[in-house]
Amino acid sequence: MKTAKIKYEGQIFDVQVNDNLSIVLPNGQILKEEQVEWLPPANGTMFALGLNYADHARELAFEPPKEPLIFIKANNTYTGHNKQTWRPDHVEYMHYECELVAIIGKTAKNVKRENALEYVQGYTLCNDYAIRDYLENYYRPNLRVKNRQATTPVGPYIIDRTQVLEPNNLVLKTWVNGELRQEGTTADMIFNVPFLIEYISSFMTLQPGDMIATGTPEGLSDVVPGDEVVVEIEGIGKLRNYIVSETEFFNTVK
């Protein structure tokens, strides 16, 4: 089952999603993908991983971490499928990051790794854009790199965990204007989903709707206003968004 949060005719609905991305409203009405405004399917705290793929760490000339490098994203950074995100004016390098996201389904505290997936509601995708001009060091992003309004597309939906049998063996891809720019596999994660749930819940209480964004593989490149960026994860789906300039975004955002 796939569930999403959408806005239609001024109202917000929790809906079911078909394989062709058509929407089933609670009253049974079926809408096409382009007829609705897609909202982030979860809005809890996002625990995001830095350097969680060894190839990505090497790409940046860093040693792979010995334990998770985690940072937290504010929920106003999230935006939905098919929506705009923005590149700050006067920066040198902004790149995409295709990431598998695990959505927590029930309160998790001191969870053991072997039971961790029982606490997962399902999975979604995110594109965790980074403004690399402001990345200071190995110990990962300051706020200017990763916590800007509407710069983390999430969605389009949550797919139930029972439909994703091998979350730690999925192909990830990123397409920019139809060109394949990034390809990797979740099998190359240094710290997988069960490990991360055990690790985080050992010192924090995870709540329903919280998200764990598991990092990105190598294959980063710059993106600029006018680009269409699609991130794809095998068995999960595709998440699309469009890059605009800072000036255009803040002159049109409501």
Side-chain angles (χ1 to χ4, degrees):
M1 183 172 67
K2 300 172 183 175
T3 56
K5 190 177 294 289
I6 60 97
K7 191 172 185 180
Y8 177 67
E9 294 186 342
Q11 297 187 63
I12 294 175
F13 297 96
D14 293 309
V15 297
Q16 292 187 23
V17 182
N18 295 321
D19 288 343
N20 64 356
L21 286 187
S22 62
I23 299 298
V24 183
L25 291 180
N27 66 3
Q29 182 181 0
I30 297 177
L31 300 171
K32 296 180 180 179
E33 172 189 357
E34 61 272 16
Q35 289 182 275
V36 305
E37 178 183 353
W38 294 79
L39 304 176
N43 280 286
T45 300
M46 180 178 283
F47 299 86
L49 271 289
L51 301 179
N52 197 32
Y53 286 74
D55 58 0
H56 176 48
R58 289 191 296 269
E59 177 181 35
L60 301 176
F62 289 128
E63 287 295 319
K66 298 292 191 293
E67 64 178 274
L69 296 175
I70 301 176
F71 55 97
I72 290 177
K73 297 179 69 73
N75 63 14
N76 72 344
T77 65
Y78 314 150
T79 190
H81 175 61
N82 281 342
K83 300 186 86 170
Q84 292 181 341
T85 193
W86 54 281
R87 177 186 171 112
D89 295 339
H90 314 302
V91 300
E92 294 295 325
Y93 191 25
M94 170 176 165
H95 62 74
Y96 47 78
E97 293 188 3
C98 176
E99 304 198 18
L100 174 70
V101 179
I103 312 291
I104 299 300
K106 59 182 180 180
T107 302
K109 177 62 177 170
N110 292 324
V111 173
K112 297 303 181 186
R113 199 175 316 179
E114 56 269 25
N115 303 319
L117 293 184
E118 297 173 11
Y119 291 81
V120 173
Q121 175 189 350
Y123 300 93
T124 192
L125 305 90
C126 82
N127 186 347
D128 189 14
Y129 284 107
I131 316 303
R132 191 151 292 275
D133 299 48
Y134 302 112
L135 185 63
E136 293 176 337
N137 55 45
Y138 175 91
Y139 295 99
R140 308 314 296 152
N142 63 40
L143 289 172
R144 294 181 296 174
V145 178
K146 293 278 192 173
N147 272 278
R148 294 170 184 251
Q149 178 184 346
T151 53
T152 307
V154 183
Y157 45 71
I158 300 171
I159 183 169
D160 191 85
R161 67 178 171 86
T162 60
Q163 295 181 257
V164 185
L165 301 181
E166 296 289 343
N168 302 312
N169 190 24
L170 303 174
V171 174
L172 305 88
K173 296 180 180 179
T174 300
W175 309 82
V176 180
N177 303 323
E179 175 190 357
L180 180 63
R181 296 272 186 93
Q182 181 183 38
E183 184 170 3
T185 170
T186 59
D188 291 338
M189 285 193 291
I190 299 169
F191 307 107
N192 64 23
V193 171
F195 179 97
L196 293 168
I197 292 173
E198 179 183 70
Y199 179 83
I200 297 170
S201 73
S202 71
F203 59 86
M204 295 187 68
T205 301
L206 294 167
Q207 301 290 348
D210 284 350
M211 295 175 276
I212 301 176
T214 55
T216 198
E218 68 176 343
L220 305 181
S221 66
D222 195 25
V223 288
V224 298
D227 284 346
E228 175 197 73
V229 183
V230 177
V231 295
E232 176 182 6
I233 301 180
E234 175 188 10
I236 309 293
K238 296 180 179 181
L239 170 66
R240 177 187 301 107
N241 80 287
Y242 302 93
I243 308 293
V244 299
S245 70
E246 178 177 3
T247 301
E248 180 180 354
F249 183 85
F250 285 102
N251 282 342
T252 58
V253 70
K254 296 179 181 179

